[in-house]
Amino acid sequence: MKKYLAPSILSADFLQLGKQVQATEAGGADFIHCDIMDGQFVPNITFGPLIVSAVKKISSLPLDVHLMIKNPDAIIPAFAEAGSSFITVHTEEVVHLHRTIQRIKQMNIYAGVALNPATSFSAVEEILESVNLVLVMSVNPGFGGQKFITPVLKKIERIAEFREKQGLSYLIEVDGGINKDTLDLASNAGVDVFVMGSAVFDSENVEETTRMYKSMVNG
Ligand code: DX5
Ligand code: ZN
């Protein structure tokens, strides 16, 4: 399957956000990953639909919106309106996950389900035939620049195996601690979409670094 690079603007310089997003686009990024945090589901607050729509105005890349928030159902329409291409909710936070995934798809948006490091693959097995993307957290959500949690590689392998066996086509996304040392491990386990925040935006040259990681992703 094709591999995709999704820089996470969580680690971008917010005073230069537009320029930095365009630099990743020039460097070959495939998606822009938007980490939405509410200070409830995770111990941090980032941004909302306003920033997503601002990024939409200056980039042609699909926006990969990751909702690390309580009660995501209430605000999914606003993120749809803002121009999201993917909306991913955390299974830990949604009681009626099948209905939520259906609602996102009815808005003609790709629907994703996210798993925290300690959440097992079996928690989402029943919904996998309906989702377009599975986001496997490889850090505890809330902050960029954390260390990759290696045991999640086993979970990624199980999710990739399940997709193969069932003839499904969801994308497998990894989010957290992806850099030169961990990218190939994740790719070999079956990852299709690589979220990278600090590895890209903490670098000297965002465009060049994006280009370098894009060539790594493409193997
Ligand atoms: C955690 C965030 C981060 C971010 C990636 O809640 O979701 O995983 O996207 O951050 P880095 O690439 O800096 O680990
Ligand atoms: Zn994320």
Side-chain angles (χ1 to χ4, degrees):
M1 276 178 96
K2 189 170 165 0
K3 304 264 184 187
Y4 304 88
L5 176 63
S8 161
I9 56 174
L10 178 66
S11 299
D13 171 356
F14 269 72
L15 296 179
Q16 314 278 341
L17 185 58
K19 281 206 192 73
Q20 296 220 311
V21 166
Q22 288 169 335
T24 63
E25 187 163 358
D30 297 290
F31 308 144
I32 298 293
H33 187 81
C34 302
D35 280 313
I36 311 301
M37 302 182 193
D38 64 357
Q40 304 288 320
F41 179 65
V42 290
N44 196 1
I45 296 177
T46 55
F47 52 86
L50 271 181
I51 295 283
V52 172
S53 52
V55 171
K56 184 76 188 166
K57 288 197 185 79
I58 54 104
S59 172
S60 58
L61 294 181
L63 303 184
D64 171 29
V65 173
H66 174 193
L67 298 182
M68 289 168 272
I69 63 174
K70 278 195 147 339
N71 184 20
D73 282 299
I75 198 159
I76 280 169
F79 281 102
E81 190 57 35
S84 307
S85 295
F86 294 83
I87 293 181
T88 296
V89 295
H90 267 264
T91 184
E92 300 88 359
E93 221 6 80
V94 179
V95 178
H96 302 291
L97 185 56
H98 184 275
R99 181 166 58 201
T100 300
I101 294 294
Q102 295 306 324
R103 275 187 72 213
I104 295 170
K105 291 169 74 172
Q106 278 156 10
M107 297 173 191
N108 291 323
I109 291 174
Y110 290 118
V113 63
L115 296 163
N116 279 335
T119 303
S120 108
F121 153 67
S122 55
V124 292
E125 194 171 339
E126 302 305 324
I127 197 71
L128 289 182
E129 65 181 344
S130 310
V131 301
N132 304 109
L133 179 139
V134 182
L135 186 160
V136 181
M137 286 305 299
S138 38
V139 295
N140 287 301
F143 302 93
Q146 299 180 82
K147 200 169 162 325
F148 185 78
I149 299 173
T150 312
V152 305
L153 291 170
K154 285 253 159 302
K155 188 180 347 179
I156 292 169
E157 284 165 1
R158 272 197 290 282
I159 294 170
E161 223 169 278
F162 185 84
R163 175 174 68 183
E164 189 70 28
K165 273 208 194 99
Q166 303 295 323
L168 299 174
S169 58
Y170 50 78
L171 291 171
I172 301 173
E173 180 170 280
V174 69
D175 184 354
I178 298 297
N179 53 39
K180 285 198 187 76
D181 306 324
T182 55
L183 194 149
D184 287 342
L185 291 173
S187 188
N188 296 336
V191 168
D192 310 302
V193 185
F194 300 82
V195 173
M196 299 184 76
S198 47
V200 167
F201 291 106
D202 290 358
S203 68
E204 281 304 302
N205 183 319
V206 168
E207 181 178 338
E208 279 315 307
T209 306
T210 303
R211 189 164 290 115
M212 185 269 290
Y213 278 119
K214 177 72 178 164
S215 63
M216 270 186 86
V217 160
N218 286 337

